[in-house]
Each structure stands twice: as structure tokens, then as C-alpha cells.
Amino acid sequence: MNRKTMVLTAAAGLLTPALAACGTATGGGAGSGAIVVGTTDRFEAADYAPAPFDPAYAYDAGAWNVLRQTVQTLMHTPRGGGQPVPEAASDCRFTDTGNESYRCVLRPGLKFASGEPLTAKDVKYSIDRVIAIKDENGPSSLLSTLDTVEVKGADTVVFHLKTPDATFPYKLATPAAGIVSEKDYDPKKLREGFGIDGSGPYTMKAEVKEGRLVRAVFTKNPNYKGDIKLQNDKVELRTFEDSAAMGKALAAGSIQMVSRTLSPAQITELAAKPPKGVKLTPLPGLEIRYIGFNTEAPVVKDKAVRQALAAAVDRNAVISKVYGKSAQPLYSLVPASVNGHVNSFFNKYGEANTAKAAALLKDAGIKTPVKLTLNYTSDHYGDGTAAEFEALKTQLNSTQLFDITVQGKEWSEFRPAQKKGDYAAYGLGWFPDYPDADNFLAPFLEQDNFLGTPYANTTVRTKLIPESRRAADRGVAAGAISEMQDIVAEDVPVLPLWQGKQYVAARDGITGVEWSVNAISDLQLWELGRGVSG
């Protein structure tokens, strides 16, 4: 998900208690009603991001985690992961053997937080609105297989699909399918600012300073009816400029939990010597990082250059130098823990094989060293990104096959330039919308893809993606999924680098921490409660 935002600030010694460093972190201690959770996610309302919490616009992990607390969806991912289950719906299922018609029946008595009834018409309106607005930064591509939405009575909605799509239930569990009211959301315009009105487990009150959200207070919605069981009445999400300030607030007791994101140095420190009353909890994670290519850019248009980069890169060296135990090497777009994963890049290129890289360039008649700029965003993923790209530059230049320079730009400049094709090579991250291999392949390979890449493989688009989506049993889709990964390793429109691990730190007395963030980085604040110190 711009998918998906994550901030990693590489800094050491950040957890020493220091009340003066807590900034705006006042109140919310152990004795107050709200459980206070810290985050380094940034929420801004600006010209380039006017509607951070509109479901038709929001498409990053931070914004989605706010929407998941406030805007209801027909389905949701259960606390332990796995297949989505009904949330605003009481029952959802395919009604045909071809996976082209999907019906949901709503729970009785659904209401928006305002008290207004929520009906099947609201579901249709909300999804049709996302498709109609089709914001270039938004999530409408997730609904690309949807043809029409049919309303049957007040409580039944039927989704007619253009092509079979066994992953459609997953998509209905994302905020792209969040249910909103026509009274609060214009059918053709984005709702600018930080306001949210929905039927989710919480209502939200935003505290904004200079166009940036600094505090979001989530209060239990008395009108909520759904599958989620709340373990608290109020949670506060407090934003911090960096992980250093957030770590100090946690150690001082001004916040009770850190959701996103601990730096690699903090993880190492917490694992070895945590402050009194603080515990580090490892959680499954599916974040990936990669280098994308504009395959029409002259310097990388010949796939031999991209293949040589794939052969030369030393993932383990980057991880060891920058990320430590918070990451592991990745040799496919599909993470190792996702069904259907194949180590396609390792199988084809091995690890840091300079001789193979040299042979690829020589056979293609490409003069070395190849001059190339690797572009990255300097503020979207944190300070660790700069160190990562410096490490990549050093190791690739040491092969004498490449003359690499690196360039960092703020996200507000980087992302539009990347989408326009201004960069031949660029670094991005991805948090999945749902935990299926399809969501690590289709967004990069299908038409109107997330990267805006000119790369197109007819076999992938017209045969393998549709074939994989026909299989309700996802194990049956493994053949098509495996073939797509091998094609990516051959053509290298993207170069996967590493897969992230998740860690949450919380103070004693906070329960449900192990369920508070799932494998796809969904923040589940309703799981947090107060109990006996751990």
C-alpha cells in the first residue's frame, strides 16, 4: 500500500528515559483512560495529499490503519490472519462455480456512528465512488476485476466480476471497500482534510497542527455492530517526528506502546537490554523492499543491465550493515512466508555473483562501467533508506561494472517524478493489501499498475494473472504464481532486496499486544487492554 508507508530511523541509544524529549506527549500515562500508542507515520493534508483519510484516496499503511479503526468493511482479516471473515456482513460467498458472482448479506441493524442506518445502497455507493473518482494515488486498482454492484433489498449486495477472482473477498476486507455515507462523502470529489465518518468500532477526533495530524483519539462507537470485539473504550494514536523521540516517550511512560516504527538500533537495544517495564514482541511481517526500473529508460532498457544488477547485488551485506535482525534477504516479489513463494532470483543469479554479472554485460555488448543513478525517498521510509542506498552504491561500484550514484528526494517530489517515469531506477517499499501472492505480483505486473511502469508481459497479463485468480484453492494457483516469479527474475522489471520483520514494544500492563498488529501490518487497536503486568 504509496504504498505502503514505513518509517525506519537508524539511530542508537534511543530508549533512555528523558521526559524533556517527549514533546507533545502529555497525559495518557498508566492512570488515564486512553491507551496511548506511538507512531512515526506522518499524516499531512497538503496539495499533493489533500484527502489523507478518504477511502477513495488513501493507499498507504498509515492511513489505512486509521481507516480500519473507523470505517467498516464487509469482510476483515481475523486476529490471527488467514482467510477474511464477515465483518459488516453476516455472510459472504461466491454464488457460482466460476468465482464471478459474490454475494454479501449485511448484519441486521447496522448504523453509521451518526445513528443513520447503513444499508446495501451505502455499500454500493461507497465502492462505485472509489471506482468513479479513480484517483491516480488511490486504491481503485484493487477493484479492477469488478464489473457492477447490484443491490437486492436493504441488506443484500451482489458483486458481478468481469473475470474470475478468488481473491475478491480479500479486497473487500481493505479500506478500498470501506463503507461511507453519501451525506458525508461527495460522489465525485475527495473529502479533503482529516475528517472521517463511518460505522467502524471507533469514532475519531483529530488534533491537527500546521496541516499535520499530531494526535488521533479513537473512542468506542456505541452504534457499532460487527465481528470485532473491543478490549478498550479509548485509544490515542500519537505521532512523533522520529523513532528517537518515540522511544524516549515509551521509556518514560508517556505512551504505552510503539506500533510503527522501531529503528534497527532500537530493536537491537530492546532485545539486549530493555528499559524497566518495557517488553519487545516480535511479530510476523510481510513488508518488502525493492528497486523498480523504468524499462524504457535508455540506461536500463536492455534487460542485460537489469539482470547484471540482480546478479551483482549483495543483499546480505546491505542487511547486515543497515537493518540487522529487522530484515532478511528476499529473492522474489513474493515473501518467503507466503504460499507460492519461489526463490526465483537466487535460482537464476545466486548471491552477489560478480562474474555472472560481468558475463551478462559482455554477452550483450554493453560497455562498462554502466552509469546509473539509484533514486530513493529521503523521508518516506526513514533515515535507514539513505544508508541502504549508500551501501548499495558502494558494493555495486566495487564490482567495477557499474558507476552508481544515489539521489534522495522527499516523498512529495519523489513519488510524482517516479510515476512520470523520470527515474531509470528507484527504491520503493510495499506492504500487502492482503496476504496472498497475487497482491505481490499483480500490482506490479498488470495494466495500470502501481509503479506506472511501461513493462508489459503478455503471458503474465492475459494468461497467468487470470489463471491464478480462478483458483479458489490458492494451492492450485501455485503453478501460475511460480511461473510469474520466474518471469520477473528473467526480465527484472523490479529487483527484490529484502523482507522486513515486525517488532512491537509495549509497557507492562498492556494486554493484547501480540494481536495488535497482524502479518500485513494492519493495526488492530481494539485488541489492546489493561491487565496484570507481564
Side-chain angles (χ1 to χ4, degrees):
M1 357 19 236
N2 324 341
R3 223 184 114 124
K4 302 276 191 181
T5 310
M6 182 178 183
V7 178
L8 284 173
T9 304
L14 304 180
L15 292 166
T16 304
L19 291 173
C22 296
T24 60
T26 58
S32 78
I35 296 172
V36 186
V37 177
T39 182
T40 53
D41 281 328
R42 296 183 181 184
F43 307 102
E44 294 180 295
D47 290 342
Y48 71 92
F53 296 141
D54 188 324
Y57 177 87
Y59 201 19
D60 63 85
W64 272 22
N65 280 336
V66 171
L67 289 174
R68 290 185 192 281
Q69 320 307 314
T70 51
V71 176
Q72 205 169 12
T73 51
L74 290 171
M75 308 286 282
H76 81 120
T77 302
R79 54 153 45 178
Q83 297 282 338
V85 297
E87 212 290 74
S90 60
D91 180 76
C92 287
R93 64 186 62 196
F94 282 104
T95 58
D96 65 331
T97 57
N99 297 331
E100 292 183 278
S101 181
Y102 195 74
R103 183 186 66 196
C104 289
V105 179
L106 300 183
R107 293 177 185 271
L110 288 175
K111 295 180 181 180
F112 290 104
S114 64
E116 292 289 327
L118 188 161
T119 70
K121 289 184 178 180
D122 295 301
V123 176
K124 174 178 169 58
Y125 173 79
S126 302
I127 292 177
D128 285 348
R129 176 178 178 269
V130 171
I131 295 172
I133 291 176
K134 200 180 181 180
D135 189 90
E136 65 176 1
N137 293 305
S140 61
S141 61
L142 282 174
L143 304 172
S144 63
T145 59
L146 179 60
D147 187 12
T148 59
V149 184
E150 178 185 5
V151 171
K152 292 188 174 182
D155 67 349
T156 302
V157 59
V158 181
F159 301 94
H160 300 286
L161 307 183
K162 300 173 186 175
T163 58
D165 186 3
T167 69
F168 192 71
Y170 288 103
K171 297 168 182 177
L172 291 182
T174 72
I179 306 167
V180 298
S181 170
E182 188 172 1
K183 292 183 178 179
D184 299 310
Y185 292 81
D186 190 283
K188 297 181 180 179
K189 296 180 181 179
L190 295 173
R191 179 175 176 173
E192 298 185 0
F194 296 99
I196 304 175
D197 288 279
S199 58
Y202 297 100
T203 60
M204 187 199 79
K205 181 177 180 181
E207 180 181 327
V208 180
K209 184 177 181 181
E210 298 177 350
R212 179 177 293 181
L213 181 77
V214 296
R215 192 191 309 252
V217 179
F218 299 98
T219 303
K220 185 177 181 179
N221 174 13
N223 288 318
Y224 171 71
K225 291 186 178 181
D227 187 59
I228 294 168
K229 305 296 187 290
L230 279 72
Q231 304 301 316
N232 60 69
D233 293 328
K234 183 177 290 188
V235 181
E236 178 183 322
L237 188 66
R238 189 175 298 170
T239 65
F240 289 84
E241 285 294 324
D242 53 45
S243 57
M246 184 172 65
K248 290 173 181 177
L250 177 67
S254 302
I255 62 177
Q256 283 77 57
M257 192 184 97
V258 170
S259 64
R260 288 164 51 88
T261 301
L262 294 166
S263 74
Q266 285 175 311
I267 292 168
T268 299
E269 185 182 344
L270 279 166
K273 191 178 179 181
K276 184 178 180 181
V278 175
K279 180 182 179 182
L280 182 70
T281 302
L283 300 171
L286 295 176
E287 175 213 7
I288 67 170
R289 293 285 183 89
Y290 58 91
I291 295 173
F293 298 102
N294 174 2
T295 53
E296 291 299 315
V299 67
V300 295
K301 186 171 185 177
D302 192 320
K303 75 176 181 180
V305 174
R306 308 192 301 269
Q307 290 177 328
L309 287 164
V313 70
D314 189 339
R315 297 168 177 82
N316 283 298
V318 172
I319 292 169
S320 176
K321 185 171 184 178
V322 181
Y323 295 110
K325 64 194 303 180
S326 64
Q328 65 188 62
L330 181 64
Y331 300 95
S332 169
L333 277 175
V334 180
S337 51
V338 173
N339 187 38
H341 163 84
V342 179
N343 280 324
S344 298
F345 276 80
F346 186 84
N347 295 341
K348 185 169 181 62
Y349 304 104
E351 180 66 57
N353 192 332
T354 301
K356 189 175 187 69
L360 285 163
L361 294 171
K362 182 179 179 180
D363 291 347
I366 295 171
K367 183 180 178 180
T368 58
V370 177
K371 292 186 177 182
L372 177 65
T373 298
L374 299 181
N375 297 272
Y376 67 91
T377 169
S378 58
D379 61 340
H380 201 61
Y381 302 112
D383 296 341
T385 308
E388 175 184 351
F389 275 75
E390 286 294 332
L392 285 168
K393 179 183 76 171
T394 298
Q395 65 172 242
L396 290 172
N397 286 347
S398 71
T399 68
Q400 300 184 0
L401 300 173
F402 300 96
D403 181 3
I404 301 292
T405 57
V406 296
Q407 178 176 262
K409 294 287 182 69
E410 291 189 357
W411 181 256
S412 58
E413 182 178 354
F414 170 88
R415 179 59 171 157
Q418 181 271 314
K419 289 279 285 186
K420 286 191 299 181
D422 292 349
Y423 302 144
Y426 47 86
L428 279 172
W430 180 262
F431 287 86
D433 306 307
Y434 47 91
D436 187 274
D438 174 82
N439 194 236
F440 291 93
L441 294 166
F444 301 93
L445 303 175
E446 64 186 349
Q447 192 170 0
D448 298 325
N449 59 73
F450 162 69
L451 297 177
T453 177
Y455 171 78
N457 184 290
T458 302
T459 299
V460 169
R461 289 186 178 180
T462 63
K463 177 179 180 291
L464 297 176
I465 290 177
E467 180 182 324
S468 71
R469 287 174 172 170
R470 279 195 292 270
D473 180 348
R474 301 310 289 153
V476 175
I481 289 168
S482 176
E483 188 174 347
M484 281 189 275
Q485 291 170 85
D486 288 343
I487 289 172
V488 171
E490 169 64 28
D491 292 349
V492 199
V494 293
L495 173 55
L497 296 174
W498 55 264
Q499 175 181 344
K501 302 175 184 178
Q502 294 189 119
Y503 292 85
V504 174
R507 297 196 64 84
D508 290 347
I510 301 300
T511 61
V513 173
E514 69 274 22
W515 303 113
S516 63
V517 183
N518 66 15
I520 59 173
S521 299
D522 295 345
L523 186 60
Q524 301 173 141
L525 294 177
W526 53 83
E527 296 286 358
L528 299 175
R530 295 184 186 273
V532 179
S533 295

